[in-house]
Amino acid sequence: MINREWHLLSRPVGWPKPEDFALVEAPVPTPGEGQVLVRNKFLSVDPYMRGRMSAAKSYVAPFELGKVMQGGAVGEVVESRAEGIAAGDHVLHFFGWREYAVVDAKNAVKVGPTAVPAVTVDAEDVPLSTYLGVLGMTGLTAYAGLLRTAAFKEGDAVFVSGAAGAVGSQVGQIAKLKGASRVIGSAGSDEKVKLLVEEYGFDAAFNYRNGPVAEQLRQAAPDGIDVYFDNVGGDHLEAAIGSLNQGGRIAVCGMISVYNDTEPAPGPKNLARLIQTRGRIEGFLVGDHYDLQPRFVQEVGPWVASGALKYRETVVEGIENTVEAFLGVLRGDNIGKMVVKL
């Protein structure tokens, strides 16, 4: 049996290119004691992976050149040498970018009907791919960033950039479900703006390509904002600081607008306004908030199963198209979570 896996050949400068990667054939690995062999069914591609392609020191180790990359994946156990996990179980793990993976049982989270109630909902109510998105790391990122880092409270006006993406769309909906006075989103196309308002229930949304972000935000939130969830950085962050109400909070999740820059991007010119508003900016990583996972799934799982919280997925077929799917995320081609189906 042959296992196909993606290797990083060279560290991209600016935008990644297909020739920076190679799809390599290797033998299917054999699990050892305490391990399981998983046939991956869905792979996750996410913006943060761009940072791991650089050698720069960061919060997570860079991908090694000439070796298989990593990322979220969910799949079926085909062989188990570990107690508590059986062949046929579905597990969530972090060894994506490949068709088959050997995973230590301690690093495999069971999902579906055989999992414990604290970390799952009825598998018949949600597709397996949701554990990479709305019920996975993506969803927990939205939940933790909004409720813990930004300290959202009922009545807040919330602005979300990258609002049609996997994280942003969930941030806005959770805010509405928890009593936000107004939710505003920005996106990169008129189609996405329509989706935010008509399907996800945002009170207002705008296409940042149609004019200055600061002006469009002031029109959409004439009374200002209390919370900004930042996925974009750049002019969006500056605009949010300009519209921040007294005591406002900014949670910095990502800054996709600068990920492929080869020169340092200029910072916001209006940081002094934080003195006037007593505002706060705080970055966060989802890995620091896994203690919220049981509460997150217990609260959000029923919303997803009932349709109260809506989500979209952009599904790319075939492991051979994984790099193109990843580049699509950086371009903003996806609506909702981008996943690769094997």
Side-chain angles (χ1 to χ4, degrees), residues 10-264:
S10 57
R11 301 205 180 278
V13 177
W15 278 84
K17 304 178 295 296
E19 51 266 35
D20 293 323
F21 310 86
L23 185 59
V24 176
E25 291 188 350
V28 172
T30 301
E33 195 66 32
Q35 295 182 322
V36 295
L37 176 64
V38 182
R39 180 170 62 85
N40 288 331
K41 291 191 172 183
F42 291 93
L43 309 179
S44 178
V45 286
D46 303 281
Y48 81 86
M49 294 174 173
R50 176 61 184 88
R52 295 197 68 186
M53 295 171 189
S54 168
K57 186 176 181 180
S58 184
Y59 61 88
V60 64
F63 293 131
E64 295 185 59
L65 293 179
K67 294 188 177 180
V68 62
M69 296 184 290
Q70 296 176 337
V74 65
E76 182 180 353
V77 175
V78 293
E79 182 180 350
S80 175
R81 297 190 61 190
E83 290 186 11
I85 301 179
D89 286 345
H90 290 103
V91 295
L92 177 68
H93 61 90
F94 205 67
F95 293 90
W97 290 83
R98 68 199 83 184
E99 291 177 309
Y100 289 86
V102 164
V103 184
D104 290 343
K106 64 182 180 181
N107 296 325
V109 178
K110 289 170 63 174
V111 295
T114 61
V116 296
V119 292
T120 190
V121 295
D122 190 340
E124 295 180 358
D125 293 333
V126 296
L128 196 60
S129 57
T130 58
Y131 292 102
L132 293 176
V134 67
L135 290 178
M137 184 177 71
T138 300
L140 182 59
T141 300
Y143 189 85
L146 177 67
L147 302 183
R148 178 175 280 175
T149 305
F152 170 85
K153 60 184 183 297
E154 186 176 356
D156 280 343
V158 178
F159 171 45
V160 188
S161 59
V167 173
S169 60
Q170 199 158 347
V171 171
Q173 291 184 82
I174 292 173
K176 288 293 291 183
L177 287 164
K178 285 189 165 289
S181 61
R182 188 166 179 80
V183 174
I184 305 101
S186 73
S189 73
D190 293 341
E191 176 192 7
K192 291 179 178 179
V193 167
K194 183 178 180 181
L195 173 71
L196 292 176
V197 175
E198 295 185 0
E199 184 168 331
Y200 292 158
F202 282 57
D203 297 288
F206 59 86
N207 182 345
Y208 65 82
R209 303 181 194 274
N210 288 347
V213 174
E215 292 181 12
Q216 295 195 77
L217 179 57
R218 280 194 295 270
Q219 292 175 3
D223 296 324
I225 60 172
D226 303 297
V227 168
Y228 170 48
F229 193 103
D230 190 14
N231 291 305
V232 174
D235 55 354
H236 281 75
L237 178 56
E238 186 167 296
I241 293 171
S243 287
L244 206 63
N245 291 330
Q246 185 165 324
R249 292 87 65 204
I250 296 174
V252 180
C253 176
M255 293 190 174
I256 198 170
S257 68
V258 302
Y259 284 173
N260 296 303
D261 288 358
T262 56
E263 298 293 332

